[in-house]
Amino acid sequence: MTGARGAGAVRAAAAVLLAVALVTVAVRGIEEPGVALAFTALIALGECVRITLPGDREQAPIGAAGALAYALLGPLRGLPTAHGTLQVVAITGIGLLLAWLPGLALPRPSRPHRRPPWADPARRDSAARRLLGVGFAAAVFQPLYNGGLVDRFSPEGPAYGVFLTAVAALAALCDATLAAVLRCDWAWRPGFVVGPEGGPGGGGVRASQGGGRGHRPAAGKARGTSAARPRTGLRFPAALEDELRSLFGIGSAIVATGMLVSLAAGEVGLWALPLFCTPLLLAQVSFRRAAAVRATTGQTIASLARATEVAGYTPHGHARRVADTACALGRELGLGTRELALLEYAALMHDIGQLSLVEPVPDGATALLPCAEQQRIARLGSEVISRTGVPRQVAEQVARLADPCAGPAGGDGSVPLAARIIRVANAHDDLLTAARGRGVGEAVGRLEAMEVLRLGRGRVYDARVVDALARVGGQSRG
């Protein structure tokens, strides 16, 4: 189950689970209160130290590792523990709630666009994921441990470590699935127009310009909309693929740290918490530096994208509109976060080759030029892009965007899908601009543009992409 119903079910399940856990703990009392307090503090502090991953996804590695460690905690200094599944959920929930208190007590007047944690849908979704993922891990491990079945494995032997690894891996898969369901919350809606603040594919140029996450406008409202923009609009398979890929990055570090803390606590007690969480804190510094590099890349691309507009080769906002439409098509066709980011980069810089022209093309409408001239401009732009330090796939996409489609279905596998998407998005905006220049109304202009694209469907333009454009309604802002 995906979409709004799936996301709503995840949030409701998390709320019910937390309520049951808190009531149960309040009635029965807290087992090993000192241990519970230590893990509560670790989770709360870890939630306050967050990082932004590609795709504008926030993560709290230390908080996640601490919660997982408590769910997998067996013996402590050689003595058995008996906190159980519901206490794990309750302590995790209390830690998450405590992490939200600084936002209430310490407002940030210098950053008014920053929402308090409880008002941020992404933070609430992250909390729901954490509760359900940790609850799943505890539900698998704690009954077996408290029931004595795990006693067959010596804590010092390999079998116990293998068992913990299996439970942690299942918990990671559960968390990835929940994250994918939540990221598919609000699907892209036909006719939905995005302003420059919203961010297209997540983690691209706009995120670096706005200084915040893609779904949170830096100022004002997105033009042409009356509701908040979806956080990603990804299809579930693409979102799940993104989350599974992240398991090989910071996700593997979180799982490994949680397992190490639970294992080491059996020998050194609560000293395992700071001892094994410190390396994860240092890893966060590296991720922050990587995020800074991505932001610099985004700023470079934004500057290049504006060069043709400043020089008078393309209309104002053309590159942004093409990027918006391309990202909408990419989501519709199932691209993941990384592919959407590369697509956005290429769409923003697709007209760089026009700077080599002696005379500008009227209205920058390269889609109306002969095919050979379009290819020459695309390859000249690719040469410029290849020297900017952006991923090589971006230059390749721009170089191939004017190549004709071949095959009975209008799709040539040798031409990157991103290039075919950008060609359709660029032609759509060029045709709309030409229609406005003739004084044609917006609705009629859209119909005319779609008719021209359909006439070239299977020859000039990829059939799948044209069909996708008809479904999403040709996202572009005036």
Side-chain angles (χ1 to χ4, degrees):
M1 179 172 53
T2 60
R5 287 185 298 175
V10 169
R11 300 183 191 111
V16 171
L17 178 61
L18 178 59
V20 171
L22 290 174
V23 170
T24 302
V25 169
V27 171
R28 296 180 179 178
I30 298 178
E31 298 284 346
E32 297 115 13
V35 178
L37 179 62
F39 277 96
T40 301
L42 177 64
I43 295 170
L45 292 174
E47 286 293 324
C48 294
V49 185
R50 305 177 70 85
I51 59 175
T52 301
L53 303 175
D56 295 329
R57 294 172 294 174
E58 281 196 354
Q59 179 65 277
I62 295 177
L68 179 61
Y70 194 48
L72 302 180
L73 182 64
L76 184 70
R77 279 188 176 271
L79 300 177
T81 57
H83 46 278
T85 301
L86 291 179
Q87 182 166 315
V88 170
V89 175
I91 293 303
T92 301
I94 293 171
L96 292 169
L97 294 174
L98 288 175
W100 291 0
L101 291 181
L104 176 64
L106 301 173
R108 300 182 181 182
S110 62
R111 302 175 70 181
H113 65 279
R114 294 284 294 182
R115 300 182 187 180
W118 58 88
D120 188 341
R123 288 292 293 271
R124 295 200 300 266
D125 288 351
S126 176
R129 279 174 52 197
R130 184 70 43 76
L131 288 171
L132 292 178
V134 168
F136 174 80
V140 174
F141 177 82
Q142 290 297 327
L144 296 178
Y145 174 77
N146 293 326
L149 296 178
V150 182
D151 292 341
R152 301 175 183 177
F153 309 134
S154 170
E156 293 82 14
Y160 187 73
V162 171
F163 173 67
L164 279 183
T165 302
V167 175
L170 289 174
L173 291 175
C174 175
D175 181 75
T177 304
L178 292 171
V181 171
L182 290 168
R183 292 182 69 200
C184 293
D185 186 357
W186 300 314
W188 188 274
R189 291 169 291 177
F192 196 91
V193 182
V194 191
E197 309 90 354
V205 173
R206 296 185 200 175
S208 66
Q209 288 175 312
R213 305 213 341 260
H215 72 279
R216 186 171 51 234
K221 294 181 180 179
R223 281 190 250 174
T225 119
S226 59
R229 185 191 174 276
R231 284 188 293 280
T232 64
L234 291 178
R235 297 297 183 91
F236 178 74
L240 181 59
E241 181 182 355
D242 283 345
E243 296 300 331
L244 293 177
R245 283 181 179 178
S246 72
L247 291 180
F248 296 97
I250 193 66
S252 60
I254 292 172
V255 172
T257 301
M259 289 173 50
L260 285 173
V261 170
S262 64
L263 284 170
E267 299 296 330
V268 301
L270 295 179
W271 285 106
L273 276 63
L275 183 63
F276 289 95
C277 287
T278 299
L280 189 57
L281 180 62
L282 297 177
Q284 289 190 218
V285 176
S286 299
F287 274 90
R288 289 183 183 275
R289 290 178 178 175
V293 171
R294 289 195 301 271
T296 302
T297 301
Q299 292 165 2
T300 301
I301 292 172
S303 299
L304 287 172
R306 286 186 53 81
T308 55
E309 298 177 9
V310 173
Y313 283 88
T314 57
H316 176 72
H318 169 73
R320 184 71 270 166
R321 292 192 297 270
V322 171
D324 286 341
T325 304
C327 288
L329 294 174
R331 281 185 288 267
E332 179 68 20
L333 294 170
L335 296 186
T337 299
R338 174 171 169 75
E339 289 79 11
L340 285 172
L342 295 175
L343 173 64
E344 182 192 12
Y345 290 165
L348 286 171
M349 297 191 290
H350 74 280
D351 274 329
I352 291 295
Q354 289 202 48
L355 295 174
S356 64
L357 301 177
V358 177
E359 293 292 335
V361 178
D363 292 326
T366 54
L368 307 180
L369 295 175
C371 185
E373 183 65 10
Q374 292 185 45
Q375 291 175 332
R376 187 182 75 85
I377 293 173
R379 282 165 173 73
L380 288 172
S382 175
E383 292 178 7
V384 174
I385 294 171
S386 64
R387 291 174 171 81
T388 62
V390 299
R392 60 176 179 79
Q393 297 97 318
V394 176
E396 180 184 354
Q397 291 168 8
V398 173
R400 304 293 304 277
L401 66 87
D403 289 0
C405 293
D412 183 358
S414 67
V415 179
L417 177 59
R420 290 176 267 155
I421 290 173
I422 296 170
R423 186 171 196 183
V424 171
N426 177 63
H428 182 260
D429 191 70
D430 285 348
L431 292 167
L432 282 179
T433 301
R436 295 187 191 105
R438 300 195 311 270
V440 176
E442 189 71 18
V444 176
R446 289 181 180 275
L447 291 174
E448 290 183 357
M450 286 304 305
E451 183 62 26
V452 172
L453 292 173
R454 286 194 179 97
L455 290 174
R457 180 182 181 276
R459 297 181 298 103
V460 181
Y461 307 111
D462 184 278
R464 289 175 55 214
V465 180
V466 174
D467 293 343
L469 181 63
R471 291 194 298 271
V472 303
Q475 314 301 320
S476 78
R477 51 185 180 83

